[in-house]
Amino acid sequence: MINSLLGATELGLLYAFMALGVYITFRILDFPDLTVDGSFTTGGAIAAVMITHGYAPWLATLAALAGGMAAGMCTGLLHTKGKINGLLSGILMMIALYSINLRIMGKPNVSLMGDTTLFSSVNPLLVMPFAVLLLKILMDLFLRTDLGLALRATGDNARMIRSFGVNTDNTTILGISLSNGLVALSGALITQYSTFADSSMGIGMIVIGLASVIIGEAIFGTGSVFRATLAVVLGSIVYRIVVALALRVEWLDASDLKLITALIVIIALVFPSVQRFMKQKNTARKRTAELAEQALILKKGGGFDVEAR
């Protein structure tokens, strides 16, 4: 049980990079980017091929980051310059990346067994918390700069920020590029952790990323940028722990992972609405009780004779 939770925590930290990337497009830019499913595999494919060809793992990881940013830039250009719907832009790029990833790998999967990776001599649980924390701090600092504020304003009110002379096309492209760069970075780390890259490893990543964001926000809140990014990181870890616990149920198999993910997302999305409804219902019940109590007091002559009036 403990080993299972530790393994889930490790995966949660590795996927936290992807969750932060999804947070940029989903929450900051309000952009439905499905490129994630393709760019995650792109990061893994680039890292795997470079490592098997003798390149240093850290260099392969940086190359994966650059590859993901290039994929995101293409999606941003399709949307801003090509005037293609944002959702469709992501779908088109995701489809294109499937073939591109196969070209990069040269075959459906690449094994890293016997090759040196970032985790060959390092325990991810000892290193990744500091790496994720560093990225989170850098992201917080960036979002407080003028460029970061322009990026946030683009998602909040693009028309208003354009009136201040900001080129929203550039900020949109930048945000989508950064997002997919982080997603590809996560893909590269997962590939080195699992010692293989597969052409289908990115399927459903957007749902996992959204689950991490939504769960984190539902549990930890989003009062500020610092709190929001922290919630995303913790949400990624909580999601992996929930999945690990769910898979320990006897009547659930590993093949049910996608179903479990979908159910977790549905619950995370519905929970805030149910919570608000129950709060409103309790408020209305208390108000009704207070009015009934006041009416009873008045009828008994506690300060105003209703019948006389």
Side-chain angles (χ1 to χ4, degrees), residues 56-115:
W58 65 268
L59 184 60
T61 305
L62 290 179
L65 172 65
M69 293 185 69
M73 183 178 66
C74 291
T75 301
L77 288 172
L78 287 175
H79 175 59
T80 58
K81 306 303 181 184
K83 305 302 179 184
I84 300 176
N85 175 270
L87 183 62
L88 184 56
S89 298
I91 293 174
L92 290 172
M93 198 61 206
M94 176 185 65
I95 295 172
L97 283 174
Y98 183 81
S99 296
I100 293 172
N101 295 333
L102 285 174
R103 282 277 188 174
I104 293 172
M105 292 189 292
K107 50 186 176 180
N109 52 69
V110 176
S111 175
L112 293 178
M113 293 296 295
D115 293 296

Side-chain angles (χ1 to χ4, degrees), residues 35-49:
T35 314
V36 170
D37 283 17
S39 59
F40 184 87
T41 307
T42 300
I46 293 174
V49 169

